[in-house]
Amino acid sequence: MTDRTGPGAGASPTGAGLVRRRRRRWVQYSALGVAVVVLGAVGVGLVAYEKLSRNITADEEAAAELARYEKERPTALVRDAQNILLIGSDSRSGDGNKAYGRDSGTERSDTTILLHLSANRSSATAVSLPRDLMVDVPSCRRPDGTRTRPMFAMFNSAFEVGGSACTIRTVEKLTNIRVDHHVVVDFHGFKDMVDAVDGVEVCLKEPIDDKAAKLKLPAGKVVLDGEQALGYVRARKSIGDGSDTDRMERQQRFLGALVNKVQSNDVLLNPARLYPMLDAATSSLTTDPDLASLRGLYDLVRGMRNIPTERVQFLTVPRTSYVYNANRDQLVKPAADKLFALLRADAPVAVAKDLPTDSASGHDSAFDYEEESHGNGKSTGKRPDAPTSAPTFRGNTAAEDACG
C-alpha cells in the first residue's frame, strides 16, 4: 500500500517555501519559453531586475535532502548538458487554487517533465513522465522528519510523501540521469503565465463542452486565456480518448504553442508585455537554490534563444498499460532504456507524429533497430538503414502547427 502521509515544508510539496512561491508555473514546463524571456530582463532596469529576482523561492530543504544522498545519485556524463525536472503540482492550497477542488492538505505531481538541454544548446527535449507509472520510490523524508519505507507505487506518490527531493530521487533511479535543476509550479501560476502573454492559440478539431474542466470552446482556432488553458491541459473525459497519455500529448502541443508565443518579438521586444511576463514567471517559481535568481536562470538558458523551434521537442516516455492493472502504466522496454541512455549521453533524439506500431506489443516499432558498432564495440547510435538519422520516438516539435 502507498503511504498517504501528507507532505510538509521545503523539500515536501506543501511546505511554506513551496506554498509561498509555487504560485505559477506550469509554464516553466516549457522552461525554454520562460527561460528565453529571462534574456530580455536587461530591458526592465535594475530595480525591476532585483524585484524579479527576489520573486523566486529557493527550495533549500530539497537541496539538503539531495545532498544527504549525493553518493547514490547518477554522475553527469556530458559537461554543459543540463537536465531540469519540471513539476506541476495539483495542490488546492494557496492563492486561487481552491477553485479546483477540496484542499486535503496533500498534493501530487499532476504533471512531470524531464527537460534535457543539449550541451551546445542546439536542441531541447522535453519528456513527459506519466503520473500513473508504476515505479520504485526510495525511502524519503516526511514533513515530520520521519522516513518512509521504499515502495513500489505510482510515480506521483513520490511527490506526495516526500516532495521535490523524493520525486528527483525517484526519477534518477528510474532513468539513471542526473537531475541538475528542478522547478515546481501550481495551477494558479500556470494561468498567470498564459494571461501574461495575452493567451495562447490552439486548434480544436471538435467543440469542447467539459463541465468538470469548466471548459466550453468551439472547434477551430481558439486563443485560450489562463483559465481556459488550465482546463484544456487538465481535461480528460471530454477530449481525445480520455487517457492520461492523450492528455500528455495535448499538454506537449500546448507547450509548443506557448514556446512560439514567448519567443515571438511582440513579447520579447515589448517592455509593456515583457515585464508582466517576467513577473508572472518568477513569482510562480520554486526552484533549486542555483536557479533561484534571475542571474541563475540567465546563466542556464542564455544560449537557448538560438534553438530553432523544430529542435524543441516533446515526447512521452515509451509506456504501456501495467500488466496487473490497466489503469496504471509501465515502461516499454527496451525503448525507454534506450531513450534514457541517449539523453544521459547527450546523443541526438528525433520525434515524429506517426510511427509504425508493433501489433503484438502495442508499442512503437521504430524503437526496434540494430545499432551499428565500430571495431571498438562502441555503438554509433545510428540505424543501419539510415546512418545519418537519430533514433525516432513518437512526439512533436514546437515548430508544428496543430491547425496545419
Side-chain angles (χ1 to χ4, degrees), residues 89-107:
S89 163
D90 70 357
S91 173
R92 270 67 171 178
S93 65
D95 233 359
N97 291 325
K98 291 183 179 179
Y100 307 110
R102 182 177 60 86
D103 179 13
S104 64
T106 65
E107 59 184 306

Side-chain angles (χ1 to χ4, degrees), residues 17-37:
L18 286 179
V19 169
R20 196 175 93 246
R21 271 317 169 235
R22 212 192 317 102
R23 290 187 17 163
R24 153 337 76 265
R25 204 213 205 218
W26 223 89
V27 119
Q28 170 112 60
Y29 268 16
S30 205
L32 7 167
V34 170
V36 171
V37 166

Side-chain angles (χ1 to χ4, degrees), residues 318-374:
R319 45 72 54 201
T320 189
S321 295
Y322 180 47
V323 64
Y324 297 115
N325 186 340
N327 294 318
R328 302 290 179 261
D329 291 327
Q330 66 184 43
L331 296 180
V332 171
K333 302 294 188 78
D337 291 337
K338 165 56 71 176
L339 174 61
F340 298 149
L342 290 168
L343 296 178
R344 187 167 189 252
D346 197 30
V349 171
V351 298
K353 285 184 178 179
D354 299 305
L355 296 175
T357 299
D358 180 338
S359 59
S361 65
H363 70 269
D364 297 327
S365 59
F367 302 125
D368 303 324
Y369 65 94
E370 296 295 327
E371 293 182 328
E372 288 184 354
S373 62
H374 299 295

Side-chain angles (χ1 to χ4, degrees), residues 106-360:
T106 65
E107 59 184 306
R108 292 189 176 187
S109 48
D110 191 61
T111 301
T112 303
I113 293 177
L114 181 62
L115 175 66
H116 174 77
L117 305 180
S118 64
N120 61 7
R121 297 302 187 269
S122 64
S123 67
T125 302
V127 181
S128 296
L129 300 174
R131 62 182 187 178
D132 294 339
L133 188 67
M134 298 302 295
V135 298
D136 289 310
V137 179
S139 171
C140 294
R141 180 185 180 277
R142 292 191 182 103
D144 61 2
T146 62
R147 310 198 75 83
T148 64
R149 293 182 178 181
M151 58 184 174
F152 184 66
M154 289 192 301
F155 172 67
N156 65 353
S157 64
F159 191 72
E160 181 186 20
V161 301
S164 50
C166 189
T167 300
I168 290 168
R169 292 178 58 221
T170 300
V171 169
E172 291 183 338
K173 287 180 178 294
L174 180 72
T175 66
N176 199 30
I177 294 172
R178 173 83 176 205
V179 174
D180 302 293
H181 302 287
H182 70 277
V183 177
V184 182
V185 62
D186 66 8
F187 295 157
H188 190 75
F190 175 64
K191 293 193 304 177
D192 283 354
M193 184 58 168
V194 174
D195 286 335
V197 297
D198 291 338
V200 174
E201 184 179 79
V202 298
C203 188
L204 307 178
K205 295 181 179 179
E206 299 176 351
I208 297 175
D209 188 358
D210 189 320
K211 294 181 180 179
K214 300 179 181 179
L215 190 64
K216 189 170 184 177
L217 300 169
K221 291 186 177 181
V222 182
V223 176
L224 305 181
D225 62 22
E227 190 72 41
Q228 292 169 324
L230 180 61
Y232 178 71
V233 298
R234 296 191 67 234
R236 295 181 65 172
K237 298 179 181 179
S238 63
I239 308 178
D241 61 12
S243 69
D244 201 41
T245 299
D246 183 81
R247 186 177 72 150
M248 285 186 291
E249 292 175 354
R250 190 184 334 124
Q251 292 169 352
Q252 293 161 7
R253 291 191 296 271
F254 181 87
L255 292 176
L258 178 58
V259 170
N260 273 314
K261 185 65 177 285
V262 170
Q263 289 184 338
S264 64
N265 286 344
D266 61 339
V267 173
L268 294 180
L269 301 182
N270 185 339
R273 301 183 68 185
L274 176 60
Y275 182 81
M277 167 93 171
L278 290 169
D279 193 34
T282 54
S283 293
S284 70
L285 297 182
T286 293
T287 76
D288 58 279
D290 287 344
L291 282 189
S293 69
L294 215 53
R295 169 58 60 181
L297 290 174
Y298 175 83
D299 287 343
L300 174 67
V301 303
R302 56 187 169 184
M304 291 175 55
R305 58 184 155 187
N306 297 320
I307 299 178
T309 52
E310 62 268 19
R311 295 298 297 151
V312 178
Q313 305 177 132
F314 300 91
L315 65 147
T316 298
V317 64
R319 45 72 54 201
T320 189
S321 295
Y322 180 47
V323 64
Y324 297 115
N325 186 340
N327 294 318
R328 302 290 179 261
D329 291 327
Q330 66 184 43
L331 296 180
V332 171
K333 302 294 188 78
D337 291 337
K338 165 56 71 176
L339 174 61
F340 298 149
L342 290 168
L343 296 178
R344 187 167 189 252
D346 197 30
V349 171
V351 298
K353 285 184 178 179
D354 299 305
L355 296 175
T357 299
D358 180 338
S359 59

Side-chain angles (χ1 to χ4, degrees), residues 42-105:
V42 65
V44 300
L46 180 61
V47 174
Y49 177 94
E50 292 178 348
K51 191 266 185 186
L52 293 172
S53 195
R54 288 194 303 269
N55 281 350
I56 306 169
T57 296
D59 198 351
E60 299 285 358
E61 291 195 27
E65 177 73 355
L66 292 172
R68 174 189 176 104
Y69 291 95
E70 178 59 37
K71 290 184 179 180
E72 73 175 34
R73 300 183 66 194
T75 56
L77 295 185
V78 181
R79 182 177 180 180
D80 295 330
Q82 295 284 293
N83 297 293
I84 304 100
L85 195 65
L86 310 171
I87 303 171
S89 163
D90 70 357
S91 173
R92 270 67 171 178
S93 65
D95 233 359
N97 291 325
K98 291 183 179 179
Y100 307 110
R102 182 177 60 86
D103 179 13
S104 64

